[in-house]
Amino acid sequence: MKRIYALRGAAQCLNTEADIQKQIASVYDAMLAQNSLAESDIVSLIFSVTNDLTALNPAAALRRSGRAEELALFSVQEPVCSANSLERTVRFLLHCYLEEGSTAHHIYQNGAEVLRPDRSINFPI
Protein backbone atom coordinates (compact mmCIF):
# COMPACT_ATOMS: atom_id res chain seq x y z
CA MET A 1 0.00 0.00 0.00
CA LYS A 2 1.27 3.48 -0.81
CA ARG A 3 1.08 6.65 1.26
CA ILE A 4 2.07 10.23 0.63
CA TYR A 5 5.59 11.39 1.53
CA ALA A 6 7.32 14.76 1.37
CA LEU A 7 10.89 14.68 0.12
CA ARG A 8 13.30 17.58 0.63
CA GLY A 9 16.29 18.61 -1.36
CA ALA A 10 18.48 21.57 -2.24
CA ALA A 11 21.44 22.64 -4.33
CA GLN A 12 23.54 25.73 -4.68
CA CYS A 13 23.71 27.12 -8.22
CA LEU A 14 25.64 29.68 -10.16
CA ASN A 15 23.35 32.41 -11.47
CA THR A 16 23.43 31.12 -15.04
CA GLU A 17 20.74 29.31 -17.02
CA ALA A 18 23.09 26.40 -17.70
CA ASP A 19 24.08 25.80 -14.09
CA ILE A 20 20.57 26.24 -12.70
CA GLN A 21 19.29 23.72 -15.23
CA LYS A 22 22.14 21.31 -14.46
CA GLN A 23 21.69 21.49 -10.66
CA ILE A 24 17.88 21.24 -10.78
CA ALA A 25 18.01 18.18 -13.05
CA SER A 26 20.71 16.59 -10.89
CA VAL A 27 18.77 16.91 -7.62
CA TYR A 28 15.53 15.80 -9.29
CA ASP A 29 17.17 12.74 -10.87
CA ALA A 30 18.81 11.81 -7.56
CA MET A 31 15.48 12.15 -5.73
CA LEU A 32 13.84 9.76 -8.20
CA ALA A 33 16.74 7.28 -8.21
CA GLN A 34 17.40 7.18 -4.47
CA ASN A 35 13.71 6.80 -3.65
CA SER A 36 12.90 4.35 -6.50
CA LEU A 37 10.30 6.90 -7.51
CA ALA A 38 8.41 7.05 -10.80
CA GLU A 39 7.21 10.43 -12.06
CA SER A 40 3.68 9.01 -12.12
CA ASP A 41 3.84 8.80 -8.30
CA ILE A 42 4.72 12.49 -7.87
CA VAL A 43 1.89 14.76 -6.76
CA SER A 44 3.64 18.14 -6.89
CA LEU A 45 7.00 19.87 -6.61
CA ILE A 46 7.54 23.24 -4.97
CA PHE A 47 10.79 25.15 -5.40
CA SER A 48 12.00 28.04 -3.28
CA VAL A 49 14.76 30.21 -4.67
CA THR A 50 17.05 32.69 -2.97
CA ASN A 51 16.75 36.22 -4.37
CA ASP A 52 20.23 36.14 -5.90
CA LEU A 53 19.21 33.51 -8.49
CA THR A 54 17.52 35.37 -11.31
CA ALA A 55 18.77 33.70 -14.51
CA LEU A 56 16.12 30.96 -14.75
CA ASN A 57 13.02 29.80 -12.89
CA PRO A 58 13.70 26.26 -11.53
CA ALA A 59 10.33 24.97 -12.79
CA ALA A 60 11.21 26.17 -16.29
CA ALA A 61 14.67 24.61 -15.91
CA LEU A 62 13.18 21.23 -15.06
CA ARG A 63 10.72 21.35 -17.94
CA ARG A 64 13.45 22.43 -20.39
CA SER A 65 15.41 19.35 -19.39
CA GLY A 66 12.55 17.15 -20.62
CA ARG A 67 11.47 16.09 -17.15
CA ALA A 68 8.26 16.64 -15.17
CA GLU A 69 6.21 17.56 -18.21
CA GLU A 70 2.92 16.47 -16.62
CA LEU A 71 3.63 17.52 -13.03
CA ALA A 72 2.34 20.45 -11.01
CA LEU A 73 5.38 22.68 -10.41
CA PHE A 74 5.49 25.91 -8.42
CA SER A 75 8.31 28.31 -7.55
CA VAL A 76 8.48 30.90 -4.78
CA GLN A 77 11.14 33.25 -3.51
CA GLU A 78 12.85 32.12 -0.31
CA PRO A 79 12.24 34.60 2.53
CA VAL A 80 15.29 36.48 3.76
CA CYS A 81 15.34 35.65 7.47
CA SER A 82 19.00 36.00 8.29
CA ALA A 83 22.12 37.69 6.99
CA ASN A 84 23.75 34.26 7.26
CA SER A 85 21.33 32.46 4.93
CA LEU A 86 22.89 30.17 2.34
CA GLU A 87 23.15 32.08 -0.93
CA ARG A 88 22.44 30.90 -4.49
CA THR A 89 20.20 28.07 -3.29
CA VAL A 90 17.19 26.29 -4.73
CA ARG A 91 15.21 24.17 -2.28
CA PHE A 92 12.82 21.36 -3.27
CA LEU A 93 9.68 20.06 -1.57
CA LEU A 94 8.42 17.08 -3.54
CA HIS A 95 5.14 15.37 -2.57
CA CYS A 96 4.85 11.79 -3.77
CA TYR A 97 3.45 8.35 -3.15
CA LEU A 98 5.88 5.68 -1.92
CA GLU A 99 5.30 2.26 -0.45
CA GLU A 100 4.22 2.55 3.17
CA GLY A 101 7.23 2.07 5.44
CA SER A 102 9.68 3.42 2.85
CA THR A 103 12.66 5.39 4.05
CA ALA A 104 12.60 8.84 2.49
CA HIS A 105 15.93 9.87 0.99
CA HIS A 106 16.44 13.63 0.89
CA ILE A 107 18.98 15.08 -1.53
CA TYR A 108 21.24 18.00 -0.63
CA GLN A 109 24.17 18.62 -2.95
CA ASN A 110 26.58 21.06 -4.52
CA GLY A 111 27.15 23.00 -1.29
CA ALA A 112 23.63 22.73 0.12
CA GLU A 113 24.61 19.80 2.36
CA VAL A 114 25.27 22.35 5.13
CA LEU A 115 21.53 23.01 5.35
CA ARG A 116 20.78 19.50 6.61
CA PRO A 117 23.95 17.53 7.35
CA ASP A 118 21.77 15.01 9.21
CA ARG A 119 19.97 14.21 5.94
CA SER A 120 22.78 14.65 3.43
CA ILE A 121 24.19 11.64 1.68
CA ASN A 122 26.71 12.07 -1.08
CA PHE A 123 25.38 10.53 -4.27
CA PRO A 124 27.27 10.64 -7.55
CA ILE A 125 26.07 13.42 -9.84
Side-chain angles (χ1 to χ4, degrees), residues 57-75:
N57 179 309
L62 192 58
R63 292 218 199 279
R64 282 186 189 178
S65 72
R67 297 161 176 86
E69 293 176 349
E70 301 298 320
L71 297 181
L73 304 177
F74 188 72
S75 298

Side-chain angles (χ1 to χ4, degrees), residues 64-90:
R64 282 186 189 178
S65 72
R67 297 161 176 86
E69 293 176 349
E70 301 298 320
L71 297 181
L73 304 177
F74 188 72
S75 298
V76 298
Q77 188 171 32
E78 184 74 23
V80 179
C81 297
S82 166
N84 298 324
S85 293
L86 190 62
E87 61 187 14
R88 302 180 346 268
T89 303
V90 177

Side-chain angles (χ1 to χ4, degrees), residues 25-117:
S26 179
V27 172
Y28 183 78
D29 289 347
M31 291 176 103
L32 270 61
Q34 296 303 318
N35 289 286
S36 300
L37 180 61
E39 276 194 344
S40 61
D41 285 326
I42 298 174
V43 175
S44 64
L45 175 53
I46 301 168
F47 299 99
S48 70
V49 184
T50 54
N51 64 0
D52 50 3
L53 290 177
T54 58
L56 183 62
N57 179 309
L62 192 58
R63 292 218 199 279
R64 282 186 189 178
S65 72
R67 297 161 176 86
E69 293 176 349
E70 301 298 320
L71 297 181
L73 304 177
F74 188 72
S75 298
V76 298
Q77 188 171 32
E78 184 74 23
V80 179
C81 297
S82 166
N84 298 324
S85 293
L86 190 62
E87 61 187 14
R88 302 180 346 268
T89 303
V90 177
R91 291 170 174 83
F92 291 62
L93 178 59
L94 186 148
H95 297 96
C96 63
Y97 288 98
L98 295 173
E99 290 298 324
E100 192 167 343
S102 294
T103 299
H105 297 285
H106 308 280
I107 308 298
Y108 293 83
Q109 60 188 35
N110 200 46
E113 298 88 348
V114 299
L115 294 171
R116 290 301 303 259

